Amino acid sequence: MREKSILLILSILSIVFIALFFVITPSFITENGEAKHFEDNDYSFDMSNSWTVNEYDDFLKTPFLSSSPNSIIVNPVDTNQFSYYNGSVEDLTANGSILNTSTTNATDVVIVKTEITKYDSLPDGITLDDAYKSDSLYSLMYDSGKFEMVNDSAMMIDGKNAHQFNYRVSYVTYQDTWIESNGHYIRILNQAPNSVFDNAAPQFDYLLNTFKVK
């Protein structure tokens, strides 16, 4: 009888401790109507509620995630939000409801995302004005002969010096923004296929316009 009581008490305590563990875990993402707000120890930003910061939107995982991550991925909640297809919806069906398989190859899900990465410094010889060259794949992209710089411009983000580079590599468009803060750097790399970049641009701009550095 006594052993059963002890087991019962231990079970209750375990449940309480587990509940407290999740209760005191910081909430990285909060919702406010049609927007979500992400905040960690280093920066914060807003995004559409149809987008998410991968695992940071999963309450079962957040207790085990870093509050100062080196890199995060922001992408659509629904991976089917973007596709290559630019035709009419009617083209995708036959007889009103049957999927027309002759057109499905054009509707493959595409990669649309924002990657935010922190850097302690830039490589020797690289400055904020040509920070895009510090990408480990830059040489490969440039040597492919398909790298095209569309434009670049200096700007301010949250009162910090920043530089944005817009370039294309084959069928993908990149919006590559670097922010200098207290001798360190934050890179906000937006990417989408050329055919859907304009559709994703409002989310990219929304994140940049609300980005705050701590």
Side-chain angles (χ1 to χ4, degrees), residues 13-14 26 43 56 116 157 171:
L13 287 175
S14 296
Y43 50 76
Y56 284 86
I116 303 176
I157 294 181
Y171 62 89

Side-chain angles (χ1 to χ4, degrees), residues 46-48 51 82 196-209:
D46 293 341
M47 58 187 151
S48 165
W51 284 60
F82 297 97
V196 302
F197 187 86
D198 287 345
N199 293 334
Q203 162 59 27
F204 295 157
D205 293 339
Y206 185 34
L207 188 154
L208 284 172
N209 290 335

Side-chain angles (χ1 to χ4, degrees), residues 155-175:
M155 60 177 58
M156 300 291 290
I157 294 181
D158 191 29
K160 309 290 192 302
N161 290 324
H163 206 117
Q164 185 176 94
F165 311 91
N166 293 279
Y167 50 87
R168 298 190 187 98
V169 183
S170 189
Y171 62 89
V172 179
T173 296
Y174 297 87
Q175 184 188 72

